[in-house]
Amino acid sequence: AFISSFHYLILLNHRLVHERLPDVISFSCAQLHPVTHFNHLKKQPKCQANELLSSIIKIYRELRQMKHLLSSTRKAFLVSKVCHRESESLQRVLSCGNIIESLSTAYQICPSGQIHEIWEFFDAWTLEITRRGGTTNDDAAGSNERDSSTELSFCVQMFIIFIRNVRTNKQNSTEIRTFSEKTMASSVATLLGNDISIESISARCDYFLRQGLNLCGWLVDIHTRACFWIENFHVSYHGSYSLLSQDSSENKNFDVLAYLQNVVDMVLASDHYLDWKNSYLKKYWKSASDDDSQRQMEDAQIPLHLRASLQRLALHRIHQLHSMIYYSKRDEYEQIEKEDENPSVASNLLVKEAKMLVNFSVYLASFPTDRSSSCI
């Protein structure tokens, strides 16, 4: 009855619940029925909470007030804590296909002028949660740490939904490219930390690191889409579209590209990868037994909680390399036509890296992953 009343009120006049929107969102999420298949929405039992949240998104999309809706969603975590509701209840939104579809539509038709404020909102939210979680003392670790990890997962996945659905074009490409590079130097850098060496991540189960890799992969995706529209864009292998490798003096403490390459080199050089390749790749990539898979992955020093994140990052990097190889080849042909004595061969390095990443991705796909690390 409460949900139905809220629904009628907001359809009648959204200002009636505008100031209490965080409370409405928190209460509605606690009543949600997860809907996981877009094609079977009509077969699912009707849920008033789903319909209410979908209507809220539609109304604020039409009002061009998505920033207020997102801010209210952020405040809903505090409301849930005050009302003694589980913070995990807000995660149910990410399992409801109709709500995700409504959010996707809102971002796809979002005016270019609002992209900046929404991007800044997610960037600041991610940064605030990460810093808060990193300063939690041992006495307050327990429930506060669990709430922070839940909120961080929700924030990153909502950020990814936004990134996936933002449409790049010739007018906003330079701006979006700047946004993605700024987020890499702020939120992602804080999530990954100062030490992301292979030795450090093998010895710990870092939830922030996993979320940082997930967000990094989709930033690579939108950065690649933005660079597509930029004319005469210079491709640098070490600069990696000026995104993955940080060459400035302010960001020498992390290098995601070098980290990914080190992991790939380590895995592909291992005896376990060679055994897997000889035994299974030649037999149409048939999977090994679960016991063998688990043993090989542990010996290869790929933590279970990072497999899916690393695979996604590798696939996004392959997509980026596809564009980089094209532009590098084009520059090389122009140099040959000009009879340059020392033509560039940067494309050879890019092709080599792409082949290694493909092998690495196929290898990881053959083994079980942590389902809790799934990302939209």
Side-chain angles (χ1 to χ4, degrees):
F2 284 109
I3 295 293
S4 179
S5 299
F6 285 136
H7 198 178
Y8 284 121
L9 285 173
I10 199 168
L11 291 177
L12 179 65
N13 186 349
H14 78 282
R15 292 190 177 277
L16 295 175
V17 295
H18 183 76
E19 299 300 328
R20 302 300 301 271
L21 195 57
D23 302 87
V24 175
I25 292 175
S26 176
F27 180 74
S28 300
C29 288
Q31 313 300 320
L32 277 177
H33 292 167
V35 180
T36 56
H37 301 289
F38 286 17
N39 296 331
H40 299 284
L41 292 179
K42 295 181 179 179
K43 299 180 181 179
Q44 298 290 337
K46 288 187 177 181
C47 177
Q48 293 180 340
N50 284 63
E51 296 177 356
L52 171 60
L53 289 171
S54 296
S55 297
I56 291 175
I57 296 172
K58 181 181 178 181
I59 289 171
Y60 281 88
R61 179 193 74 198
E62 295 174 347
L63 293 171
R64 299 289 192 255
Q65 294 187 28
M66 287 298 296
K67 172 69 179 303
H68 177 78
L69 173 61
L70 294 172
S71 298
S72 299
T73 304
R74 180 178 180 178
K75 294 176 183 177
F77 276 94
L78 180 60
V79 172
S80 298
K81 189 173 183 180
V82 172
C83 297
H84 303 288
R85 299 192 188 104
E86 294 184 357
S87 57
E88 288 83 354
S89 63
L90 274 79
Q91 289 275 32
R92 298 177 187 176
V93 172
L94 302 175
S95 301
C96 298
N98 57 334
I99 297 177
I100 297 300
E101 190 173 20
S102 298
L103 283 172
S104 300
T105 302
Y107 294 142
Q108 288 168 7
I109 64 176
C110 179
S112 298
Q114 293 187 3
I115 293 177
H116 178 247
E117 66 176 11
I118 295 178
W119 194 298
E120 288 288 343
F121 167 81
F122 280 120
D123 197 14
W125 189 8
T126 305
L127 202 58
E128 189 272 331
I129 300 172
T130 307
R131 289 174 175 172
R132 186 207 315 155
T135 57
T136 302
N137 55 44
D138 294 336
D139 296 334
S143 61
N144 290 335
E145 183 177 353
R146 184 174 62 254
D147 291 341
S148 295
S149 63
T150 301
E151 186 177 356
L152 177 63
S153 175
F154 179 83
C155 174
V156 169
Q157 292 190 68
M158 287 286 284
F159 199 174
I160 290 174
I161 294 173
F162 171 68
I163 291 174
R164 289 182 62 178
N165 289 281
V166 168
R167 293 181 175 177
T168 58
N169 51 52
K170 198 169 185 178
Q171 287 70 37
N172 65 14
S173 57
T174 302
E175 185 180 35
I176 290 178
R177 173 196 163 195
T178 303
F179 294 159
S180 58
E181 292 174 1
K182 180 182 177 182
T183 301
M184 278 294 298
S186 58
S187 298
V188 174
T190 307
L191 284 168
L192 297 180
N194 296 335
D195 184 10
I196 56 172
S197 61
I198 299 175
E199 293 77 11
S200 67
I201 64 106
S202 298
R204 61 192 173 104
C205 180
D206 196 331
Y207 188 79
F208 285 178
L209 176 60
R210 185 174 71 190
Q211 296 299 331
L213 292 174
N214 287 335
L215 181 57
C216 179
W218 286 104
L219 287 173
V220 172
D221 175 79
I222 194 170
H223 193 273
T224 304
R225 289 191 280 131
C227 290
F228 172 82
W229 295 97
I230 300 177
E231 297 181 358
N232 301 321
F233 192 79
H234 176 66
V235 175
S236 170
Y237 174 72
H238 296 288
S240 184
Y241 274 12
S242 303
L243 181 66
L244 286 178
S245 291
Q246 301 293 332
D247 298 327
S248 64
S249 58
E250 298 179 356
N251 298 311
K252 288 184 177 180
N253 58 342
F254 78 105
D255 188 340
V256 181
L257 177 59
Y259 164 72
L260 179 61
Q261 290 175 337
N262 288 337
V263 173
V264 173
D265 290 340
M266 178 192 68
V267 171
L268 299 188
S270 65
D271 294 335
H272 301 283
Y273 169 76
L274 298 177
D275 293 341
W276 170 84
K277 182 177 180 181
N278 293 331
S279 301
Y280 302 104
L281 195 59
K282 293 181 180 179
K283 297 179 181 178
Y284 304 101
W285 299 333
K286 291 183 179 179
S287 301
S289 64
D290 292 339
D291 294 338
D292 291 340
S293 301
Q294 185 68 25
R295 177 181 59 81
Q296 288 180 2
M297 293 302 288
E298 289 176 350
D299 292 340
Q301 297 180 345
I302 302 296
L304 176 65
H305 66 285
L306 291 181
R307 293 177 197 170
S309 300
L310 284 171
Q311 185 183 27
R312 277 190 292 268
L313 179 58
L315 293 173
H316 286 300
R317 174 60 176 168
I318 293 171
H319 181 210
Q320 185 184 54
L321 287 170
H322 184 273
S323 297
M324 295 177 68
I325 291 170
Y326 168 79
Y327 289 115
S328 295
K329 287 286 188 181
R330 184 192 61 183
D331 294 340
E332 291 170 12
Y333 290 146
E334 291 178 354
Q335 292 177 5
I336 293 175
E337 291 178 356
K338 296 178 181 179
E339 298 181 354
D340 193 335
E341 295 181 357
N342 298 310
S344 173
V345 290
S347 63
N348 293 340
L349 295 174
L350 300 175
V351 172
K352 180 181 178 181
E353 181 186 353
K355 291 180 178 179
M356 294 178 65
L357 289 173
V358 169
N359 292 335
F360 175 73
S361 300
V362 174
Y363 179 61
L364 287 185
S366 301
F367 300 99
T369 59
D370 184 3
R371 292 185 179 273
S372 63
S373 66
S374 61
C375 191
I376 291 178

